[in-house]
Structure formats: structure tokens, C-alpha cells
């Protein structure tokens, strides 16, 4: 099934586009709408989207930022920007995001007809495989952990919020693509960074300092986790390395 998603915070424009496109011969089985970036991202979590028409100025999220997130999770989706602004900087960034087209409002019907023909030539009737998008989300989750592992308050909820996905969806994709839960990957990465610090003879941080640097407020708890994962205490590890 081929889905087209219209993302625009103007209800009249959304409805008008959807109504007009439903009267054309299009390659889409379903034409759906989202009123803002959050709704669009939620839609992508549960549907395979063949193409999307996205306004640049959304109420809660910049349209170009939304496109970057969609490119990470659903790189096969064809993106067309719809905007009321003929702005060179927007257009230049849109080119870098590999959007299919950039249409200015009000959009002439002839342009919409041409766009549907373009979609027909770009899309195939084969079922879209979402492996690439889920892999990208898992990689984004790993990258977020690696960038924020020293934060004592780092959590699955925080990462999911920053990546605009649900906790359940992020956790599921990490487990499927990385073989570890969020917590397991976080602990392993923290222990890896702790070992790097302990092996560096020029640093000589105390165990408490290392615990703090890798995201633990309690040095005793850090030492227990380290011994469980590595097999020796942090001080013993330093002595033999």
C-alpha cells in the first residue's frame, strides 16, 4: 500500500490539497494528513510512507528539521516541500536534504498534476521495506547514548523525547538492531569509557572522578557495576593494565 502524507499546520490547505489530490489519478492508495511535526513523526512510526508533502513552517517543529528526522528513519520516502516563502537559504538546504521538489504556495493545480506524474515514475508497486529506517533509528539511539553517557540523568525517556519517538519504539529498535536494550548499551559504553580512562597513565583520576566522568554519582555503585561487567575492581584493572 502506497501512502501519501500531507504535513501542514493550516487546516484549510491540508484539506484542500487532500480533496484535490483524491480526484486525480495518483499512485497512492491512501492520502493522510498531519497538523504538525509531532503528528507526522507519530504517523511514520506506524505506517510506511511512500511520499510526503511538508510545509516548512510548522507550529511545533521546523519543516527542514522534520525532513532530516524522516531521512534518518525512512530514507526511501520521497519528500516535497510546500512553502509560502521563496527563500534561497531554505531552497539550498532543501537541496542538501535531497528533497524531490520545492513548491511555492499557492500551488497551481498544473504543478500538482505534474508532481503526481513524477511520483508515478519514482514509485514502484513493490512493498516498501522498513529495515533501513529502523536501523537508522537504532544508530541514532546509539549515537545519542555515546554523546550523553556522562549525563547522570540520561534515560530512555530522555533519548526518546529528543529523537521524537516513543520509548517503546526506540527500545524495540535498539534491541532488534543492536541486540541490547537501552540500559545494556549505556552500561557497556560507560564501562568501555571507564576502562579507557583507567588505562591512561597520564591521567591518574581517582575512582570517584572516573565514576563522575562516565555518568555515575555514586563511586561505590560504579565500582560494583564495573566489577560485575569487567570481573575486577577499577583499581585492580588499573594495576594490571
Amino acid at each position: 500500500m502506497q501512502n501519501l502524507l500531507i504535513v501542514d499546520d493550516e487546516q484549510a490547505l491540508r484539506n484542500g490539497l487532500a480533496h484535490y489530490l483524491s480526484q486525480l489519478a495518483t499512485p497512492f492508495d491512501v492520502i493522510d494528513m498531519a497538523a504538525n511535526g509531532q503528528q507526522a513523526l507519530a504517523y511514520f512510526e506506524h505506517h510506511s510512507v511512500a511520499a510526503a508533502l511538508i510545509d516548512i513552517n510548522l507550529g511545533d517543529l521546523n519543516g527542514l528539521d522534520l525532513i532530516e528526522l524522516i531521512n534518518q528513519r525512512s530514507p526511501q520516502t520521497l519528500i516535497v516541500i510546500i512553502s509560502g516563502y521563496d527563500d534561497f537559504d531554505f531552497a539550498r538546504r532543501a537541496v542538501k536534504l535531497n528533497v524531490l521538489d520545492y513548491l511555492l504556495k499557492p500551488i497551481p493545480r498544473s504543478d500538482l498534476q505534474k508532481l503526481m506524474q513524477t511520483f508515478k515514475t519514482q514509485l514502484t508497486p513493490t512493498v516498501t521495506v522498513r529495515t533501513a529506517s529502523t536501523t537508522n533509528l537504532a544508530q541514532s539511539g546509539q549515537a545519542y547514548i555515546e554523546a550523553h553517557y556522562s549525563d547522570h540523568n540520561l534515560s530512555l525517556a530522555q533519548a526518546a523525547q529528543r529523537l521524537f519517538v516513543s520509548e517503546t519504539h526506540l527500545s524495540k529498535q535498539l534491541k532488534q538492531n543492536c541486540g541490547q536494550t537501552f540500559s545494556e548499551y549505556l552500561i557497556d559504553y560507560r564501562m568501555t569509557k571507564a576502562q579507557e580512562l583507567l588505562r591512561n597513565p597520564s591521567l591518574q583520576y581517582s575512582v570517584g572522578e572516573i565514576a563522575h566522568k562516565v555518568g555515575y554519582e555514586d563511586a561505590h555503585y560504579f565500582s560494583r557495576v564495573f566489577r560485575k561487567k569487567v570481573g575486577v575492581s577499577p583499581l585492580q584493572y588499573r594495576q594490571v593494565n
Side-chain angles (χ1 to χ4, degrees):
M1 180 177 289
Q2 303 277 30
N3 287 21
L4 171 68
L5 182 65
I6 300 170
V7 187
D8 198 298
D9 61 351
E10 296 180 46
Q11 183 177 3
L13 190 141
R14 289 196 312 272
N15 291 341
L17 267 178
H19 177 72
Y20 178 69
L21 294 177
S22 67
Q23 297 177 322
L24 297 179
T26 76
F28 303 108
D29 304 294
V30 175
I31 297 175
D32 277 327
M33 295 176 285
N36 54 50
Q38 293 286 0
Q39 286 186 15
L41 290 170
Y43 188 89
F44 270 85
E45 280 193 37
H46 301 290
H47 301 83
S48 179
V49 181
L53 307 181
I54 299 176
D55 185 25
I56 284 181
N57 292 304
L58 300 171
D60 61 341
L61 189 64
N62 181 284
L64 296 175
D65 292 336
L66 172 62
I67 292 169
E68 285 188 1
L69 291 168
I70 291 172
N71 282 343
Q72 292 174 10
R73 298 168 203 182
S74 184
Q76 76 281 357
T77 299
L78 301 175
I79 303 291
V80 172
I81 289 175
I82 52 178
S83 174
Y85 300 92
D86 188 5
D87 188 291
F88 176 74
D89 288 334
F90 279 150
R92 181 172 57 186
R93 187 176 169 196
V95 169
K96 292 182 180 179
L97 291 172
N98 296 317
V99 300
L100 183 65
D101 208 344
Y102 187 112
L103 300 180
L104 291 176
K105 302 177 185 178
I107 307 170
R109 293 193 172 192
S110 59
D111 286 356
L112 289 172
Q113 292 169 347
K114 290 177 183 177
L115 180 61
M116 292 305 108
Q117 291 298 320
T118 301
F119 280 144
K120 283 182 181 179
T121 61
Q122 293 279 342
L123 297 170
T124 63
T126 57
V127 176
T128 302
V129 178
R130 300 188 66 187
T131 303
S133 61
T134 58
T135 300
N136 284 341
L137 176 56
Q139 290 173 344
S140 295
Q142 289 177 296
Y144 189 85
I145 290 172
E146 292 169 11
H148 299 87
Y149 71 93
S150 61
D151 180 357
H152 302 158
N153 298 313
L154 179 59
S155 65
L156 173 62
Q158 179 192 112
Q161 183 179 22
R162 293 298 298 273
L163 294 172
F164 299 98
V165 295
S166 68
E167 295 175 41
T168 301
H169 188 56
L170 177 57
S171 180
K172 179 181 177 182
Q173 298 312 322
L174 281 167
K175 187 67 174 178
Q176 287 184 352
N177 290 278
C178 311
Q180 291 181 299
T181 65
F182 181 92
S183 295
E184 289 169 344
Y185 190 84
L186 173 59
I187 291 171
D188 279 355
Y189 192 78
R190 281 174 167 169
M191 293 304 104
T192 297
K193 302 306 287 187
Q195 290 173 71
E196 290 177 5
L197 293 172
L198 287 164
R199 288 197 304 268
N200 192 326
S202 65
L203 296 178
Q204 293 300 308
Y205 289 126
S206 69
V207 171
E209 289 173 323
I210 290 175
H212 183 80
K213 288 181 179 296
V214 299
Y216 293 93
E217 292 183 295
D218 187 333
H220 294 293
Y221 178 70
F222 160 72
S223 294
R224 289 199 301 271
V225 175
F226 189 94
R227 181 185 286 275
K228 182 178 180 180
K229 298 298 291 187
V230 182
V232 296
S233 71
L235 289 178
Q236 290 171 328
Y237 183 87
R238 171 176 277 164
Q239 290 170 357
V240 298
N241 287 277

